[in-house]
């Protein structure tokens, strides 16, 4: 029997990067997977590819976590086969810009707070009651090492990830008498389109972020996420902080050359 045979997993922000890798790892482990992201076109291709590769059912749903009504619709209109969600992976999130607070773009702050904090809360609020009712659940939040030490020019992003840590800790307390687990995964430098998004498409700037070092890959994170979901049901992994070997904190990094 595969590790998570028959479980249903809902993953936000799953058209690429860590979200997509998680979808593949959970599908490989025998789960039914719902992948959500804002544009359905690419997502449906991703769903098809993963389903063909793993043999598990994968369903794509249009999901804008910043839009409360859309979140409700997306969860409530799932096909019956996918509607009982056992594991929620709150992965949708982003960084926008690297500026001092005094120079910051307020629209960027709103987008980060709306996505990383409020979006995570909307999905969690929609899905956790069903987990409690059915007597099984696991919320896995993708936080960041940015939650542990703030870094210059990153105050708002770091604050949103600190919020993810405290929402995880608070939720764990709120469901302590229920069979629902809460895990916060805090990755450091991971090579996805994270930096391209942060620098608003400036590939030159984005590629420099990983100069002279070997970052984590989305697969590295998905492997850990899957592990935290695979341990026996009485075992709850609160938090995993993971960085490349050459990174000690958000800004203590060793580069070759
Ligand atoms: C991503 C980690 O250090 O690039 O959340 O902000 S960092």
């Amino acid at each position: 029997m595969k590790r998570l045979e028959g479980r249903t997993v809902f993953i936000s922000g799953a058209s690429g990067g860590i979200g997509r890798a998680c979808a593949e790892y959970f599908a490989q482990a025998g789960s039914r997977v719902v992948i959500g992201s804002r544009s359905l076109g690419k997502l449906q291709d991703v769903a098809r590819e993963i389903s063909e590769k793993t043999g598990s059912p994968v369903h794509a749903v249009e999901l804008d976590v910043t839009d409360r009504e859309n979140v409700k619709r997306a969860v409530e209109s799932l096909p019956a086969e996918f509607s009982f969600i056992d594991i929620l992976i709150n992965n949708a999130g982003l960084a926008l810009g690297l500026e001092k607070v005094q120079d910051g773009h307020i629209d960027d702050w709103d987008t980060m707070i709306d996505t990383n904090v409020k979006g995570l809360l909307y999905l969690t609020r929609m899905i956790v009651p069903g987990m409690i009712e059915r007597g099984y659940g696991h919320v896995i939040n993708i936080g960041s090492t940015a939650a542990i030490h703030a870094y210059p020019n990153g105050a708002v992003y770091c604050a949103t990830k600190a919020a993810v840590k405290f929402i995880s800790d608070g939720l764990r307390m709120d469901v302590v008498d229920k069979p629902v687990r809460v895990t916060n995964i805090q990755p450091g430098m991971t090579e996805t389109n994270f930096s391209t998004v942060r620098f608003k498409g400036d590939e030159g700037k984005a590629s420099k972020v990983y100069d002279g070092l070997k970052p984590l890959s989305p697969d590295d994170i998905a492997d850990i996420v899957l592990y935290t979901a695979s341990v026996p049901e009485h075992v709850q992994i609160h938090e995993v902080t993971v960085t490349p070997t050459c990174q000690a904190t958000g800004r203590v990094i060793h580069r070759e050359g």
Side-chain angles (χ1 to χ4, degrees):
M1 171 142 169
K2 290 184 172 177
R3 282 205 276 177
L4 289 164
E5 190 99 59
R7 292 291 180 203
T8 301
V9 186
F10 188 108
I11 307 170
S12 66
S15 60
I18 293 173
R20 183 195 165 128
C22 286
E24 196 165 323
Y25 273 63
F26 278 80
Q28 204 80 63
S31 297
R32 278 184 295 272
V33 181
V34 181
I35 53 176
S37 100
R38 274 178 304 182
S39 76
L40 201 52
K42 184 177 174 203
L43 201 65
Q44 278 166 336
D45 293 341
V46 172
R48 205 170 314 110
E49 277 164 32
I50 296 178
S51 189
E52 277 166 13
K53 190 166 169 189
T54 63
S56 289
V58 183
H59 177 72
V61 65
E62 194 174 340
L63 178 73
D64 177 357
V65 296
T66 66
D67 176 346
R68 243 200 267 189
E69 284 310 309
N70 172 282
V71 169
K72 190 166 183 290
R73 221 174 23 250
V75 175
E76 284 179 348
S77 64
L78 288 171
E81 185 194 356
F82 293 94
S83 61
F84 297 143
I85 298 161
D86 299 302
I87 299 165
L88 165 62
I89 303 178
N90 274 314
N91 168 70
L94 79 172
L96 279 178
L98 258 184
E99 283 100 16
K100 295 178 191 296
V101 171
Q102 59 270 34
D103 302 324
H105 299 294
I106 293 174
D107 286 343
D108 289 350
W109 299 352
D110 284 346
T111 305
M112 287 189 277
I113 293 167
D114 288 349
T115 310
N116 302 5
V117 183
K118 291 165 72 179
L120 177 145
L121 282 169
Y122 295 160
L123 258 184
T124 304
R125 178 66 182 86
M126 270 306 293
I127 291 174
V128 168
M131 293 176 167
I132 293 173
E133 221 175 276
R134 291 186 298 275
Y136 180 91
H138 193 170
V139 178
I140 303 174
N141 293 329
I142 306 300
S144 169
T145 47
I148 306 169
H149 301 280
Y151 50 76
N153 306 316
V156 177
Y157 175 70
C158 294
T160 65
K161 291 300 183 176
V164 171
K165 180 200 163 29
F166 277 91
I167 292 166
S168 306
D169 290 348
L171 174 64
R172 195 177 302 110
M173 293 172 199
D174 294 343
V175 296
V176 70
D177 58 343
K178 315 283 184 220
V180 174
R181 300 183 282 188
V182 182
T183 301
N184 181 28
I185 309 283
Q186 303 193 122
M189 299 176 89
T190 309
E191 195 163 23
T192 63
N193 70 348
F194 176 86
S195 294
T196 310
V197 171
R198 167 169 261 173
F199 296 119
K200 300 174 183 169
D202 186 333
E203 297 285 355
K205 268 192 189 170
S207 66
K208 284 206 173 56
V209 172
Y210 307 116
D211 261 1
L213 61 83
K214 183 173 170 55
L216 299 171
S217 71
D219 283 359
D220 294 328
I221 306 303
D223 191 33
I224 292 167
V225 172
L226 181 68
Y227 174 75
T228 67
S230 307
V231 292
E233 283 174 38
H234 69 287
V235 180
Q236 174 172 232
I237 298 175
H238 289 209
E239 204 162 86
V240 179
T241 300
V242 50
T243 64
T245 306
C246 60
Q247 182 181 26
T249 74
R251 284 298 173 268
V252 177
I253 298 161
H254 171 71
R255 295 177 197 271
E256 296 293 338

